[in-house]
Amino acid sequence: MAIVNIVQYNGGPDVFAWKFPNDQLSTWTQVIVNESQEAILLKGGQVADILGPGRHTLDTANIPLLSALIRLPFGGRSPFTAEVWYINKVHSMNIKWGTPRPIQLQDPKYNIFIPLRSFGHFGIQIAAPKKFLVKMVGVLPVFNKDSVEQFFRGLYLTKVKDAIATYLVRKGISALEINAYLLELSDHLRDAMVPVFDEYGIRLINFNVNNINVPEDDPGVRKLKDALAKRAEMDIVGFNYVQERSFNTLEGAATNPGQAQVGIMGAGLGMAMGAGLGGAMGNHMGNMAQNLQLGNMKKCPHCNNDMDQSARFCPVCGGDSNMPKASSKTCPKCNAGITNERSRFCPECGVSLVKSCPGCSVPIDGNPRFCPECGVSMTKSCPGCSAPIEGDHRFCPECGNKM
């Protein structure tokens, strides 16, 4: 078997660890190491030495560990078997990552489940070649970008899912708005993954999230986007959902005269609730509905309730609509019956029906015994026997004296 005299790197540009294919070396073999590389010499599964950039001769004078590991005889050229690994320490900035299947997350703003897909890239550098070779490379003949992506796939998929979900909940934003926060989200993911890469001798330079999107054919996504598009249209036009429903009701009532009255009443209520068109529009619609309604309505003479023109009895109080309400209040001067409880003056003689204090003339509501303003007694007394007189009497009920 041929003895190798020259060992040099012959791997590709995307390789992080490359093993020299021949392990039959000699004590005078020249090992050439390029800049941003380190060569690791293994003998019997143990690290014999780490060689930096330059040309190195495998000799006990230059590599003292060879003497113990190989036990070379003194003098002459002696063959031995050993492995030479090249570790590239250049920055690799374009290792791509992505979610092969959408991640199901609940949108914190709209409370529906949305599938998310995320893509990006990250950059690394081999910072500790010996740790990297021992913990990650093992017996593989080569370790490249594809190996790194495959090895860390499960890690970054878990981290990405947790980071996006946590970020959405913490910020209270929709998944459809997450692309506006990609830079901050990328920094958050990098900080979470740096300790894991360090454990394998790798320095994580950056971890970028380039895009987060949702499948357009998902039913939930379509429904949410339609709703957002409708809301944007309403904002542009200048009315809200309640007002739009009111307009639809009015349009339907115009095409269905049988339900026009009920439809317009509901529309007027909706328009009054909507703030976009203002209170004037709501009042206008309410008045229009009221005018339509009063054409076939009448007032109950007993409880003042609106009732149908053809109804004989009131549906609220049961009173006969053809009989006027009995008077429960009389004028103190002319004894005329007062049908309206809220009347302040007699409709017959015009005298005031509001009781006033005899001391300070303040209007008095109810039947207090003393004025709440000046404290004077509101109860009349007989000038003959001083008996208290309740109500308006012309003669004292006790002694018959004229009041």
Side-chain angles (χ1 to χ4, degrees):
M1 183 176 294
I3 302 301
V4 178
N5 292 320
I6 298 295
V7 175
Q8 60 183 4
Y9 180 77
N10 194 26
D14 296 332
V15 174
F16 296 102
W18 180 79
K19 177 184 176 182
F20 188 74
N22 198 335
D23 59 357
Q24 298 295 320
L25 309 177
S26 68
T27 54
W28 294 339
T29 296
Q30 303 292 308
V31 179
I32 301 174
V33 182
N34 298 324
E35 291 289 343
S36 34
Q37 284 184 340
E38 283 189 7
I40 300 179
L41 185 66
L42 297 178
K43 173 61 179 174
Q46 301 181 38
V47 176
D49 211 335
I50 299 178
L51 309 177
R55 180 185 292 268
H56 305 270
T57 301
L58 299 184
D59 189 2
T60 55
N62 297 328
I63 308 176
L65 291 177
L66 287 178
S67 177
L69 293 174
I70 305 173
R71 302 192 182 280
L72 299 175
F74 293 97
R77 180 169 174 267
S78 176
F80 62 93
T81 59
E83 299 177 3
V84 178
W85 281 88
Y86 283 91
I87 307 298
N88 286 315
K89 301 174 64 178
V90 295
H91 291 195
S92 182
M93 304 296 294
N94 194 28
I95 303 178
K96 299 184 182 298
W97 65 270
T99 54
R101 291 182 299 275
I103 303 171
Q104 292 290 336
L105 294 177
Q106 185 176 13
D107 192 295
K109 189 172 183 179
Y110 302 108
N111 295 323
I112 65 172
F113 283 92
I114 295 181
L116 294 181
R117 292 180 299 200
S118 183
F119 306 93
H121 67 277
F122 60 93
I124 64 172
Q125 181 193 26
I126 308 302
K130 181 178 178 181
K131 182 191 294 186
F132 171 72
L133 183 66
V134 172
K135 286 197 170 186
M136 291 205 64
V137 180
V139 295
L140 295 176
V142 66
F143 198 93
N144 53 21
K145 282 185 178 180
D146 294 336
S147 303
V148 173
E149 181 181 352
Q150 183 178 2
F151 186 88
F152 290 102
R153 178 177 298 170
L155 171 67
Y156 63 67
L157 286 182
T158 301
K159 293 290 186 181
V160 165
K161 179 179 180 179
D162 292 343
I164 294 178
T166 303
Y167 195 86
L168 291 178
V169 173
R170 187 180 64 187
K171 292 289 185 179
I173 60 176
S174 171
L176 302 180
E177 304 168 353
I178 190 63
N179 280 313
Y181 304 88
L182 291 184
L183 182 60
E184 187 176 344
L185 183 60
S186 298
D187 294 338
H188 177 72
L189 277 170
R190 180 188 176 278
D191 295 339
M193 298 184 68
V194 162
V196 180
F197 278 90
D198 286 342
E199 185 179 350
Y200 296 94
I202 302 174
R203 184 169 71 90
L204 183 63
I205 301 172
N206 56 50
F207 194 94
N208 296 323
V209 182
N210 295 340
N211 185 28
I212 297 177
N213 57 49
V214 295
E216 297 293 336
D217 56 349
D218 183 77
V221 174
R222 287 202 306 267
K223 187 174 181 180
L224 178 57
K225 287 190 173 182
D226 291 342
L228 293 176
K230 191 66 176 177
R231 187 176 71 176
E233 179 183 355
M234 293 178 182
D235 292 340
I236 294 173
V237 174
F239 61 93
N240 57 29
Y241 178 77
V242 174
Q243 295 164 348
E244 185 197 26
R245 294 289 295 171
S246 302
F247 282 126
N248 293 338
T249 303
L250 288 173
E251 184 178 1
T255 59
N256 189 356
Q259 297 182 356
Q261 182 175 326
V262 178
I264 295 178
M265 284 293 292
L269 179 60
M271 299 302 287
M273 292 174 61
L277 296 182
M281 188 62 180
N283 294 334
H284 175 72
M285 298 305 299
N287 292 335
M288 182 175 66
Q290 184 178 5
N291 293 334
L292 289 175
Q293 183 186 27
L294 291 179
N296 296 321
M297 304 295 285
K298 65 180 180 179
K299 294 284 186 179
C300 172
H302 303 277
C303 65
N304 208 33
N305 174 59
D306 291 330
M307 55 187 296
D308 191 83
Q309 185 71 33
S310 60
R312 172 70 186 276
F313 296 95
C314 176
V316 175
C317 68
D320 190 343
S321 62
N322 295 328
M323 294 183 62
K325 182 180 178 182
S327 299
S328 60
K329 184 177 180 181
T330 59
C331 174
K333 182 177 181 180
C334 66
N335 292 323
I338 309 299
T339 57
N340 192 343
E341 297 291 341
R342 293 180 296 176
S343 297
R344 298 176 64 88
F345 298 92
C346 175
E348 296 294 331
C349 65
V351 71
S352 176
L353 301 177
V354 179
K355 185 167 54 175
S356 61
C357 173
C360 62
S361 300
V362 172
I364 304 298
D365 293 328
N367 296 305
R369 301 191 64 181
F370 297 93
C371 174
E373 294 292 331
C374 65
V376 70
S377 175
M378 297 297 297
T379 304
K380 292 188 298 182
S381 60
C382 174
C385 64
S386 301
I389 306 299
E390 296 289 344
D392 297 319
H393 297 275
R394 301 184 66 182
F395 297 95
C396 176
E398 296 292 332
C399 65
N401 188 42
K402 186 178 181 179
M403 299 296 299

